Amino acid sequence: MFADRNAFLQGTLELLILKAVSWAPVHGYGIARWIEQTTDDVLRVEDGSLYPALYRLSRKGWLNGEWGVTENNRRAKYYTLTAAGRRQLTEQVSGWHRLALAVTHAVNSRHAPADAR
Amino acid sequence: MRWLSEVRERVRALVFRSRVDADTEEEMRFHVEMEAARLQRDAGLGPAEARRRALLSFGGVERHRAAVSDARGMGWLSGTSLDVKLGARMLGRYPGLTLAGGLSLAVAVGLAAAWFQFLNDMTRPRLPLPDADRIVVVHNFDRATATPEQRMLHDFEWWRSEVRSVEQLSASSTSQGSVTTEDGRVVTLRLARLTASAFGVLGVSPVMGRAFVEADEQRGSEVPVLLSHDAWQQLFDGDAGVIGRSLRVAGTDATVVGVMAEGFGFPVNQQAWLPLRERADDWERRTGPGVTVFGRLARGATVRGAQAELTALGERAAAAYPDTHEHLRPDVRPYAAALGMHPAIALLNVPFLLFLVVVCANVAALVFARNVARSGELALRSALGASRRRLVLQLVAEALVLTLLATALGLVLAQAAFSRAMALFWEVQQSAPPFWFQGDITATTVFYAIALAALAALIIGGLPALKATGRQLRHRLSQPGTGGAAPRFGRFSTAVIVVQVALCVAFLPAAILRGGELMEQRPSVAAFPSAEYLTGRVSLEQGAASRAAGTSAGAIFDELKQRLQAERGVLAAAFASRMPGFNHPVERLVVSTDTALLLQARVMAVDEDFFDVVGARVVHGRPFVAGDASSTVRPLVVDEEWAATQFAGRNAVGQRVRFPGRDPDRATWYEIVGVVAGMSRATGPGAPVALFEPLRAADPSRRFYLRTSAPPAALAASVHGTITALDARLAIDDLQPLDEAWRPAQQGAVYIVAGLNLVALVILTFALIGIYSLMSFTVAQRTREIAIRTALGANPRRLLVAIFSRALVQIGGGVLIGAVVIGAAIARTPASALLVVGVATAMLLVGVGGCAVPAVRALRIPPTAALKQE
């Protein structure tokens, strides 16, 4: 459950949302399901916590939310990536790769710290 | 532009708050319903169970909704509304602070707002005319004497044919005139003569009838007259069939052709309008009646462009007519700007702002004491995670509740007082308000007052909050029960008390003395038998005056005086330039013995009978005699008191003076021929007049003074009849007993004194409350210490001496500083020194009282009880 890894999710949730909406407009529920499926339930969002993040990103001007209609004829708010949001996504993805690589290097390392007794 | 989209989002969230809340609600509901549907479909759950699980996985709806509100940048709003609620509750919990602070703030804000409104009306008049900012006025300015030259009929006619940047160039002149109705009623109206084009410039037309047309300016044709709404009501009782009715206006038969809209009084406060029929051909250059020239800027033209064009014309005129026009230059400016006073007088708002700041400082001291009492609560909030910024904001918001309430009350007071004060102002000025004057508190002033409320909240809430939320705050929580850890405000309170006492000592006696001086002028008025005089203004209608210049105008007034003296019930008659004591022009002058020293004095022109009629005595030299006005000696008579101070014992008679403002060549000397005593009584409630000069025969407008044997009011009708019977061109105005003419100015003085005393009282009362609470608070903080020291055997008397000596030092320091600040002024009279001692004693008593109550209580408490207190 992701709620247990709260601090970790806080940093990555924005990145995941930006990625989720990078293809086509999608509503909040769709984003939650996409995160759940693509991360094989490892990063499971407590669904409600998605919405503050969505509003935060909208306020920053990275997302644009507009009301539309689903296939079942239900009213839903669809989010799209703005130009600023796309730039932000590119930045955050490359940042994530650098971080992940660095951490991987560190945990796979065979060398002890120089000052170790 | 991320900040821009963020601002937009925030504004949207704020403005459409309820809609955005509904959107969030719907979005979350959609989420839960979709998840429930999936669980029904994929896991085969029943609807109720599916919904329960969907809600569970969504998490707390309320919590997420609050988080969304925070994310939208709305968190502060709910925080602020909480602060506001808390602020409102605080008002009730500390009623003393609310009442004393709120009332004094209301007085301070109300005064500042009313004064701001007054200055705004004076500096930035707004003409209620369409496109008023395109209307300009053209003055002819004499650069040699630095005065405007209004006798410009020649220039006007020339400009009218030449100037392109100003359209429909028009002229106006104003005067007073007697108006007689068909049924024989006579009233005096303020008249204006206008060219027909003026109505095009002003963009107004009559509500009934027609405006002037060019043919109306031709001599010989029937004279049309337009009436103001008020004059129409007054003369014809609002009769709708007024058009075509006859009136005799300033000695001429006229026909009413129209009635203007209510509130129209161009150029100032006029009540009837005639066509301007003066022609330049009748006059030499720079002679004839004065006119004001105005017009509307042509399409695309600017004031600057018009100025350039008229400057060029002015230079051509100077070259063509050097005798008259060498120093004349036209000056173009927006009409409203020409009406307003210099914008720099807005600086006069500063004293009122300072007064507000002083009041705020007082309230801040009390708020600080309250914060100390609340330090436990503040420490707890801080420990629970509230940042310092958050706490300061909370305290400022609380203060804002108080200052906004006080501002609302202040504005209500200002609105109530302002229209009455303005009515009184125009009465004292002996004129009617200009037509653009509203006499109301406007939206600009309301915004100004709200800004003042915000400033006051920053001072009242902010400064004590910064102190109360300092480093000691956490310390307070970490050491409960040790006492003394509450934010000490020994040094702070000392500073506040010293400043408070110093301000009161420095300014209150000065204000009270000023009030006293104003009041002192009343007995001198009472000593003058003003109830035995009838006064009024009589003017020879302006065009007639110009043509009858010199001997014939003089002859009319000479004849008038003889007839008035012969009137039954009149003992004596005299003429003067103005009502003694009112609005006398202040002139600069130098005395021949010390030309480096520039003096200022009020000057008034009087005829040879004036001193006799008002019962003043010439104590040295001689009074005015017939022929003085045209004498080459240019005689002056000076007031005895003024002469005593200016000539320091030397004989004033024979001294020569010069008026730099009158003759730039510095060649014209005037000689003092007499010294008059007792005139200060006869100048009424106004400022005393120092210099008297002979009234010129050609002066077209003058005041008469009639000493009567019967009650003067009873003579008014027959005097009016005598004047109009002599010459129909004579207009009478302000015909009333002298004591009635003086009454508004006397009342004005009384109101000013009352106002000053009210302000002084507010400051003093609040200062006393402030000192009492600070003293009592600082001593109350030491309750525990005092009780323990008593228990340990300390001598109670020595403890008390220590406490009181501190109060004495604080108040004594303030008195000393205040006395030094105002030193020169208080040393002047024993009365003022006594006042300072009085104020200082009051503060000392209150300060000692403030110490005594908690100190004595502390001495009585058993140490065990004192220890429990924490």
Side-chain angles (χ1 to χ4, degrees):
Chain A
M1 231 340 250
F2 206 87
D4 298 333
R5 307 173 181 116
N6 220 345
F8 184 60
L9 181 63
Q10 271 300 328
T12 51
L13 183 58
E14 287 191 1
L15 172 58
L16 292 175
I17 291 173
L18 291 175
K19 184 72 189 173
V21 300
S22 64
W23 292 282
V26 57
H27 46 62
Y29 178 73
I31 295 170
R33 290 285 78 76
W34 178 83
I35 293 175
E36 204 180 302
Q37 284 159 10
T38 52
T39 60
D40 288 335
D41 263 3
V42 173
L43 296 180
R44 185 124 191 275
V45 188
E46 185 186 59
D47 292 4
S49 65
L50 187 69
Y51 289 90
L54 280 170
Y55 277 91
R56 205 161 38 241
L57 295 178
S58 300
R59 206 183 77 199
K60 288 174 177 173
W62 295 343
L63 292 187
N64 195 15
E66 271 185 15
W67 287 92
V69 181
T70 65
E71 292 164 1
N72 306 334
N73 225 13
R74 286 286 318 266
R75 229 168 82 82
K77 196 172 187 182
Y78 282 88
Y79 292 88
T80 48
L81 207 55
T82 64
R86 195 164 293 284
R87 277 196 300 278
Q88 193 61 31
L89 174 63
T90 316
E91 257 174 52
Q92 287 204 12
V93 167
S94 71
W96 173 259
H97 282 313
R98 278 202 306 280
L99 178 72
L101 197 64
V103 177
T104 310
H105 272 308
V107 296
N108 289 343
S109 174
R110 289 157 187 271
H111 304 291
D115 290 338
R117 270 205 260 192
Chain B
M1 289 294 155
R2 188 178 131 191
W3 65 271
L4 197 69
S5 74
E6 192 153 329
V7 167
R8 202 177 49 221
E9 274 299 310
R10 276 182 193 235
V11 169
R12 203 177 73 89
L14 193 61
V15 175
F16 304 108
R17 197 177 165 204
S18 58
R19 216 181 81 194
V20 174
D21 282 346
D23 277 3
T24 312
E25 188 79 38
E26 187 177 351
E27 217 180 341
M28 290 182 175
R29 197 169 55 235
F30 170 78
H31 188 112
V32 173
E33 283 172 10
M34 288 293 280
E35 177 66 1
R38 185 184 72 82
L39 289 173
Q40 275 183 274
R41 193 173 59 238
D42 296 355
L45 296 176
E49 178 60 13
R51 182 169 167 74
R52 196 185 66 78
R53 286 207 194 170
L55 277 172
L56 209 61
S57 76
F58 189 83
V61 175
E62 274 311 314
R63 182 163 51 89
H64 291 311
R65 197 180 291 148
V68 165
S69 178
D70 270 350
R72 285 202 319 249
M74 299 292 293
W76 63 273
L77 193 67
S78 56
T80 305
S81 68
L82 201 67
D83 289 343
V84 169
K85 275 182 209 153
L86 198 60
R89 207 173 305 149
M90 283 296 156
L91 296 183
R93 259 184 69 184
Y94 297 86
L97 190 143
T98 307
L99 209 63
L103 286 180
S104 58
L105 281 170
V107 170
V109 173
L111 275 174
W115 185 251
F116 176 83
Q117 180 68 53
F118 175 69
L119 288 185
N120 219 15
D121 284 342
M122 288 298 172
T123 51
R124 296 168 47 206
R126 291 184 176 211
L127 297 179
L129 299 171
D131 268 342
D133 52 343
R134 305 284 295 166
I135 303 176
V136 291
V137 62
V138 188
H139 289 299
N140 231 350
F141 202 73
D142 187 328
R143 293 192 298 187
T145 60
T147 49
E149 171 58 88
Q150 288 210 300
R151 296 167 299 176
M152 47 198 257
L153 278 172
H154 280 271
D155 307 84
F156 168 58
E157 288 188 4
W158 186 45
W159 294 341
R160 210 177 194 185
S161 59
E162 294 279 327
V163 174
R164 294 285 160 265
S165 50
V166 184
E167 286 173 342
Q168 297 180 296
L169 212 58
S170 307
S172 68
S173 69
T174 56
S175 62
Q176 302 267 346
S178 285
V179 174
T180 315
T181 58
E182 289 158 338
D183 55 7
R185 270 188 299 155
V186 184
V187 292
T188 300
L189 295 185
R190 292 180 292 272
L191 305 176
R193 288 176 165 73
L194 298 174
T195 54
S197 52
F199 293 89
V201 174
L202 304 176
V204 293
S205 39
V207 284
M208 259 166 63
R210 65 169 178 87
F212 297 148
V213 293
E214 257 180 58
D216 290 331
E217 293 175 26
Q218 298 305 317
R219 286 191 192 143
S221 62
E222 185 181 58
V223 177
V225 59
L226 280 160
L227 297 177
S228 70
H229 183 270
D230 290 351
W232 171 50
Q233 295 291 334
Q234 190 186 351
L235 297 172
F236 295 99
D237 300 324
D239 177 12
V242 68
I243 308 296
R245 300 271 290 271
S246 305
L247 278 179
R248 198 163 165 78
V249 184
T252 327
D253 287 318
T255 308
V256 178
V257 297
V259 176
M260 300 304 294
E262 196 171 358
F264 179 79
F266 184 87
V268 183
N269 48 18
Q270 268 52 44
Q271 297 161 298
W273 296 267
L274 297 165
L276 185 77
R277 289 183 167 181
E278 297 292 347
R279 291 281 163 273
D281 296 345
D282 298 344
W283 308 96
E284 298 293 318
R285 284 176 200 283
R286 282 192 88 167
T287 66
V291 289
T292 302
V293 174
F294 56 97
R296 196 169 264 278
L297 284 176
R299 188 184 290 270
T302 60
V303 173
R304 223 169 160 180
Q307 179 64 65
E309 190 182 9
L310 274 146
T311 303
L313 289 180
E315 281 162 3
R316 273 168 62 191
Y321 317 107
D323 287 352
T324 52
H325 280 59
E326 186 189 351
H327 300 299
L328 287 188
R329 289 294 179 277
D331 173 56
V332 185
R333 59 182 63 191
Y335 201 97
L339 292 173
M341 291 170 128
H342 197 275
I345 69 163
L347 282 177
L348 292 177
N349 281 316
V350 172
F352 286 83
L353 289 178
L354 287 180
F355 174 52
L356 178 66
V357 169
V358 170
V359 168
C360 287
N362 280 331
V363 185
L366 291 195
V367 168
F368 187 77
R370 186 189 72 184
N371 288 351
V372 173
R374 287 170 65 189
S375 58
E377 170 209 331
L378 293 174
L380 198 65
R381 292 197 57 173
S382 168
L384 289 176
S387 65
R388 188 178 186 194
R389 183 169 150 241
R390 186 74 199 78
L391 288 179
V392 170
L393 271 180
Q394 177 206 328
L395 294 171
V396 170
E398 283 176 27
L400 194 63
V401 175
L402 177 67
T403 61
L404 281 176
L405 278 179
T407 297
L409 179 63
L411 281 173
V412 170
L413 292 177
Q415 171 69 43
F418 189 65
S419 49
R420 303 181 97 184
M422 285 329 292
L424 187 73
F425 174 78
W426 292 112
E427 208 177 333
V428 172
Q429 296 293 315
Q430 300 205 331
S431 84
F435 77 104
W436 59 85
F437 211 86
Q438 301 298 324
D440 271 333
I441 298 290
T442 58
T444 316
T445 302
V446 173
F447 283 127
Y448 175 74
I450 291 172
L452 291 186
L455 171 76
L458 280 180
I459 297 175
I460 293 169
L463 295 183
L466 287 178
K467 178 91 181 150
T469 57
R471 267 174 300 163
Q472 297 158 324
L473 191 56
R474 299 215 173 199
H475 183 63
R476 160 107 181 127
L477 203 66
S478 60
Q479 292 177 297
T482 54
R488 282 208 167 271
F489 71 151
R491 256 178 303 175
F492 180 76
S493 71
T494 299
V496 170
I497 291 168
V498 168
V499 168
Q500 194 131 297
V501 173
L503 283 173
C504 286
V505 168
F507 296 114
L508 285 190
I512 294 169
L513 282 180
R514 177 78 191 114
E517 275 169 25
L518 284 169
M519 294 300 262
E520 272 169 22
Q521 289 170 357
R522 300 183 71 208
S524 72
V525 173
F528 186 76
S530 55
E532 295 170 17
Y533 288 84
L534 183 69
T535 179
R537 182 161 54 217
V538 57
S539 335
L540 194 57
E541 199 264 315
Q542 202 187 25
S546 305
R547 241 166 279 139
T551 51
S552 61
I556 293 172
F557 284 117
D558 282 348
E559 175 66 25
L560 176 63
K561 192 157 146 190
Q562 283 179 13
R563 290 201 188 183
L564 289 174
Q565 277 165 340
E567 184 88 21
R568 181 195 294 268
V570 172
L571 299 173
F575 286 128
S577 54
R578 286 162 180 261
M579 166 114 60
F582 285 98
N583 301 330
H584 293 280
V586 176
E587 290 201 56
R588 289 172 302 159
L589 63 131
V590 290
V591 180
S592 62
T593 48
D594 183 5
T595 48
L597 190 65
L598 199 60
L599 307 173
Q600 286 198 335
R602 291 182 189 272
V603 184
M604 175 178 171
V606 298
D607 72 3
E608 60 272 16
D609 295 324
F610 185 81
F611 296 132
D612 254 356
V613 170
V614 300
R617 285 176 308 115
V618 172
V619 291
H620 295 297
R622 64 171 179 86
F624 290 127
V625 292
D628 267 347
S630 51
S631 153
T632 48
V633 177
R634 296 192 187 84
L636 293 175
V637 170
V638 296
D639 178 66
E640 188 186 28
E641 284 175 26
W642 190 80
T645 51
Q646 296 305 326
F647 298 108
R650 282 175 291 142
N651 190 359
V653 175
Q655 302 277 359
R656 295 192 311 148
V657 302
R658 188 164 61 70
F659 298 94
R662 296 188 186 183
D663 77 304
D665 303 335
R666 305 179 171 198
T668 315
W669 289 93
Y670 294 70
E671 187 178 327
I672 296 174
V673 299
V675 177
V676 66
M679 265 315 291
S680 58
R681 295 185 310 130
T683 49
V689 174
L691 291 174
F692 300 88
E693 59 179 337
L695 190 67
R696 287 192 305 273
D699 282 347
S701 173
R702 52 190 66 189
R703 275 261 164 198
F704 55 84
Y705 252 50
L706 306 178
R707 198 167 72 224
T708 62
S709 55
L715 295 179
S718 69
V719 165
H720 198 291
T722 304
I723 295 171
T724 42
L726 171 64
D727 193 317
R729 295 171 303 173
L730 287 172
I732 312 140
D733 189 28
D734 270 352
L735 182 62
Q736 57 188 332
L738 183 61
D739 57 346
E740 274 180 32
W742 280 356
R743 190 164 298 137
Q746 283 171 316
Q747 274 179 350
V750 170
Y751 283 128
I752 291 172
V753 171
L756 274 175
N757 287 346
L758 175 75
V759 170
L761 202 69
V762 169
I763 299 182
L764 187 63
T765 310
F766 205 78
L768 294 179
I769 295 174
I771 289 172
Y772 183 91
S773 15
L774 282 185
M775 288 289 183
S776 116
F777 188 82
T778 40
V779 177
Q781 268 197 313
R782 295 169 62 191
T783 299
R784 200 165 156 269
E785 172 205 333
I786 294 167
I788 291 171
R789 281 172 70 178
T790 318
L792 292 176
N795 182 344
R797 197 188 301 160
R798 279 178 64 187
L799 269 176
L800 282 178
V801 167
I803 290 166
F804 289 136
S805 62
R806 187 180 143 125
L808 282 174
V809 166
Q810 287 169 335
I811 293 170
V815 170
L816 202 67
I817 293 172
V820 167
V821 169
I822 204 74
I826 58 160
R828 218 166 23 177
T829 63
S832 46
L834 209 63
L835 261 175
V836 171
V837 172
V839 170
T841 312
M843 300 202 145
L844 209 56
L845 286 177
V846 166
V848 169
C851 298
V853 175
V856 169
R857 202 174 52 210
L859 287 175
R860 285 191 190 147
I861 298 177
T864 43
L867 278 167
K868 269 189 218 155
Q869 210 187 23
E870 289 286 335

